Amino acid sequence: MLEFGQDIGIDLGTATVIAYVKGKGIVLREPSVVAVDKDTGDVLAVGKEARRMLGRTPGNIIATRPLRDGVISDYTVTEKMLKYFINKICGKYIFAPRIMICVPSRVTEVEKRAVIDAASQAGARKVYLIEEPLAAAIGAGLDISKPCGNMVVDIGGGTTDICSFSYDYDDETVISTSIRVAGDKFDESIVKYVKKKHNIMIGERTAEDLKINIGCVYPKIQDAEMEIRGRDLITGLPKTVTVYSSEMLEALTECAEQIVEAVHSILEKTPPELSADISDRGIYMTGGGCLIDGLDKLLQERTGINVMVAQDSVSCVALGTGKALDNLDVLDGKK
Ligand code: ADP
Ligand code: MG
């Protein structure tokens, strides 16, 4: 339960919503999934409960991820989801907290407004929005108060956001891009690969399990394996096959290369002094998607720059968002 004066930082991610409260740490971590009754439009379940329904719902219930591609595909549903989470964090005693929200970088101004309204209606005293790369940088422990170049690569579910920046008192440089190649694309590539190679159809959740357990984008020293069940495309019956990490490498390389290429393009556009700082300080990776085995090695090899996976990379943005509330004056001056 929140106490008076406690502020909340919320990372409204495409895959996960994470909330951070100073002194308490992470107070909520739920999938950004909503189950809706197709006929009436009613929201039936939100978060963990709704995720259980993904891919296995009866006809009239659909489980969706309203922010899937980094844009708000369904306005009202997103609003309901955010309200549900805020109420869950605040409990029944609402002390009108200040809330800082980090929204995916592709979200438009109109959609941002909707997020602010939803949080206000859910009981926030004041709502602030923060840009994802900035939140990720703060969460990763980078000192952004110094006029020094940094690079953050945040790989979420729907989007990979790459940003090189330096904030100075009278000047700021931000070079960024966002591509729709991230965790979900890895999963989709696995589904396609398994279908083609083994002739079986698997669901997204099985693909994600494969990715997390044996997935890799850089050759592993020792091949790992995992048994999975899917539907045989020829007989239509359930079938079990063994999949190897060497196959995952084949399935995932293309996506990984697209991320590497996007990082390259940002490095090319980055002014020389800034890139000199970045090569000294290294590239920081955040978000759940960066945990795929070998991505740090691949990126390091291709750029010649040290690549660091931020500590607790999944919660990094939420942490940064929460911490940003302590630095509102500094941020106000900058944004
Ligand atoms: P978002 O910020 O968009 O909500 P997250 O940062 O929560 O996304 O990352 C979600 C993505 O991270 C999902 O695609 C998930 O499969 C992936 N992921 C989480 N853990 C791992 C892991 N250990 N290995 C590979 N991918 C992971
Ligand atoms: Mg994120």
Side-chain angles (χ1 to χ4, degrees), residues 226-247:
M226 186 178 157
E227 261 191 10
I228 48 152
R229 277 167 78 80
R231 179 166 51 83
D232 190 315
L233 285 171
I234 298 158
T235 64
L237 299 171
K239 187 179 172 188
T240 304
V241 292
T242 304
V243 178
Y244 296 89
S245 53
S246 48
E247 298 181 273

Side-chain angles (χ1 to χ4, degrees), residues 11-18 32 132 154-159 182-184 187 208 211-212 286-293 313-314:
D11 171 14
L12 192 59
T14 66
T16 326
V17 176
I18 303 177
S32 356
E132 182 147 20
D154 180 83
I155 308 180
T159 63
D184 295 338
D187 301 345
E208 189 183 22
K211 173 182 75 177
I212 292 174
T286 62
C290 83
L291 295 174
I292 189 142
D293 197 72
S313 67
V314 182

Side-chain angles (χ1 to χ4, degrees), residues 193 198 210 214 223-226 242-249:
Y193 180 90
H198 297 279
L210 275 172
I214 63 160
D223 213 1
E225 59 178 67
M226 186 178 157
T242 304
V243 178
Y244 296 89
S245 53
S246 48
E247 298 181 273
M248 290 294 99
L249 181 63

